[in-house]
Amino acid sequence: MKYYLFGNWKCNPVSAQEAKKLISDTAKSVKRTEKVEVAVFPPFCYLYEVVGKKKEVAVGAQNCCFKEAGAFTGEVSPRQIADLECKYVLIGHSERRKIFSETDSFVNDKTKLALACGLVPVVCVGETDEERTAGRAVEIVTGQIEAGLKDVDAKQVLVAYEPVWAIGTGKACGLAEAREISRMIKEALGSETPVLYGGSANAKNGAVYLKEAGYDGLLVGGASLKADEFAKMFEEIEGLD
Ligand code: 13P
């Protein structure tokens, strides 16, 4: 069984000095093993600082442009990200969908281009609080998967289920709800597509999603900014059967 421990730093930290310290503390306490693939996703401006540590930690970007190059002010293309020797790219994180109005069709374009550029896309899906309360969680995630991965070989991507209401709230998803979604995603895409859980995952609850809810890994936000907590999550996952 292969597991994944991914840290999404989001728009943190605010200085290169802190980013250097975070990657060096993280790299000291985790390693990429046959069993656990560890990766961090820093802001674009720190990718250079971090790729040097890629022996211990794989590196990914948090977003990419839907085109390879050209007049797209403020964008960074998957070709450029791949050229930096990053391995992964997050696509369709709920913060991008919500704050930057990214649609499933945009997610699909970016996923196809990222693959063509040699990156491994980590496609993020998840329902809002309102959608879950209305009993529409499975329907929403199914729609995001179908549209976001249209004409994509699912064996070449990872999917991260991040219920929007669980992100940064301390209210992690219940195991039964999380299990229902991991099962649905695997039924839709096949068992070869790794499925990660994200949303208030920490050292106490993280490994339980892998043990008891059918997930292959974690996409961690806040807890990945604390190297010691991230290291504990690594140890928990390393210790799984
Ligand atoms: P938190 O772990 O801070 O809830 O964030 C999850 C996330 O959005 C990772 O992409």
Side-chain angles (χ1 to χ4, degrees), residues 9-27:
W9 292 3
K10 306 194 178 184
C11 192
N12 301 290
V14 292
S15 71
Q17 201 183 355
E18 288 167 277
K20 271 191 214 168
K21 178 160 171 32
L22 180 57
I23 189 57
S24 116
D25 290 349
T26 302

Side-chain angles (χ1 to χ4, degrees), residues 8 10 93 162 166-168 199-200 219-222:
N8 174 10
K10 306 194 178 184
H93 189 281
E162 301 203 299
I167 296 179
S200 297
L219 179 55
V220 184

Side-chain angles (χ1 to χ4, degrees), residues 32 48 81 132 134 157 179 197 203 219:
R32 297 165 78 181
Y48 261 127
I81 295 166
R132 176 158 286 275
V157 307
R179 200 178 298 116
Y197 168 77
L219 179 55

Side-chain angles (χ1 to χ4, degrees), residues 27 36 58 73 81 91 98 103 112 127-128 134 165 167 195 208 221 233 239:
V36 190
T73 302
I81 295 166
I91 298 183
K98 185 169 166 221
T103 61
K112 287 195 260 193
E127 81 288 354
T128 62
W165 47 273
I167 296 179
V195 182
V208 183
M233 298 176 90

Side-chain angles (χ1 to χ4, degrees), residues 55-221:
K55 273 202 207 93
E56 295 90 349
V57 182
V59 181
Q62 298 172 14
N63 179 33
C64 66
C65 186
F66 67 109
K67 294 281 182 194
E68 263 192 73
F72 301 101
T73 302
E75 288 291 286
V76 179
S77 95
R79 179 72 61 206
Q80 293 161 333
I81 295 166
D83 187 61
L84 272 180
E85 297 189 23
C86 289
K87 179 169 178 185
Y88 297 100
V89 61
L90 298 183
I91 298 183
H93 189 281
S94 67
E95 286 146 19
R96 303 241 26 116
R97 292 178 189 259
K98 185 169 166 221
I99 308 168
F100 301 98
S101 307
E102 289 195 7
T103 61
D104 286 327
S105 132
F106 215 42
V107 168
N108 186 243
D109 288 346
K110 290 183 179 199
T111 301
K112 287 195 260 193
L113 184 60
L115 281 170
C117 292
L119 293 170
V120 179
V122 182
V123 178
C124 304
V125 296
E127 81 288 354
T128 62
D129 196 14
E130 241 174 22
E131 290 162 344
R132 176 158 286 275
T133 307
R136 298 181 59 217
V138 169
E139 172 202 330
I140 294 295
V141 175
T142 304
Q144 289 171 338
I145 298 264
E146 279 173 7
L149 295 181
K150 188 165 179 278
D151 302 325
V152 169
D153 177 3
K155 291 197 281 301
Q156 298 190 55
V157 307
L158 285 76
V159 170
Y161 170 57
E162 301 203 299
V164 178
W165 47 273
I167 296 179
T169 58
K171 281 195 294 181
C173 187
L175 289 180
E177 291 92 339
R179 200 178 298 116
E180 180 184 33
I181 302 283
S182 71
R183 192 173 295 145
M184 180 277 281
I185 296 174
K186 289 196 182 255
E187 268 167 27
L189 300 179
S191 58
E192 284 179 63
T193 306
V195 182
L196 279 51
Y197 168 77
S200 297
N202 56 40
K204 284 207 180 86
N205 65 16
V208 183
Y209 289 94
L210 283 58
K211 254 195 307 205
E212 293 179 24
Y215 287 85
D216 303 287
L218 299 170
L219 179 55
V220 184

